[in-house]
Amino acid sequence: MSTIPSLEFPTFHVVTHPLVQYKLGLLRDKQTNHNMFRELVYELTLFLGYEATRHLRTIQKQVETPLETCAATVLDGPNPLILPILRAGLGMVDALLQLIPSAKVGHVGIFRNEQTLEPEKYYFKIPPDSPTQAVYVCDPMLATG
């Protein structure tokens, strides 16, 4: 992962891992069928989710194993929120839930007004006890080139 230095976007990161780049190429290929496209979105979301969750707060906790107790790392604070932009972002939710099973899921519906070209919200629903730890907005924007 590399950081692009920018005063405007100081925390903007570009994931340059070879497997991410390879799978993005497959995803963009017009020969990729629908099933493969969905699988690639899932796999890419796992890679990106792994990087995006790097800074989640954790604490040490004692857990019981079948033999004895030991220290284990657990997430600290409220459960993260996965917030897909309807509908395209829904394809990313399952992979993030695979990484963070305790996460909550909300939904945002946005479309682009064809006259003004501005985004317009038509739906917004998040769990009432929304987290303050982390929110992961899911929207697989792909250039069609």
Side-chain angles (χ1 to χ4, degrees):
M1 181 168 74
S2 67
T3 302
I4 296 177
S6 168
L7 294 175
E8 189 176 358
F9 303 106
T11 60
F12 185 82
H13 298 281
V14 175
V15 179
T16 58
H17 192 284
L19 289 177
V20 170
Q21 299 304 312
Y22 166 68
K23 289 179 182 290
L24 275 173
L26 292 174
L27 193 72
R28 291 179 172 139
D29 187 338
K30 72 178 185 177
Q31 301 300 318
T32 298
N33 65 41
H34 295 291
N35 289 338
M36 177 62 84
F37 184 90
R38 283 190 288 274
E39 288 178 25
L40 288 165
V41 167
Y42 183 89
E43 292 171 1
L44 280 164
T45 303
L46 286 174
F47 289 136
L48 298 175
Y50 178 80
E51 290 296 334
T53 57
R54 178 178 300 279
H55 301 293
L56 285 175
R57 293 188 314 261
T58 60
I59 58 171
Q60 292 294 305
K61 175 182 173 182
Q62 290 294 315
V63 297
E64 287 286 330
T65 73
L67 301 176
E68 60 185 50
T69 62
C70 73
T73 301
V74 297
L75 294 180
D76 184 29
N79 292 324
L81 174 65
I82 299 170
L83 197 58
I85 305 296
L86 299 175
R87 291 179 334 193
L90 290 174
M92 301 174 77
V93 172
D94 286 342
L96 285 175
L97 284 173
Q98 180 73 33
L99 291 173
I100 320 167
S102 63
K104 300 191 182 253
V105 179
H107 296 91
V108 176
I110 299 175
F111 69 93
R112 183 172 61 169
N113 182 310
E114 294 300 323
Q115 278 70 44
T116 66
L117 302 181
E118 294 295 318
E120 291 193 18
K121 179 176 65 172
Y122 65 89
Y123 186 78
F124 185 83
K125 185 162 177 109
I126 61 173
D129 56 343
S130 302
T132 57
Q133 178 172 351
V135 176
Y136 298 98
V137 178
C138 302
D139 188 22
M141 291 295 291
L142 296 172
T144 56

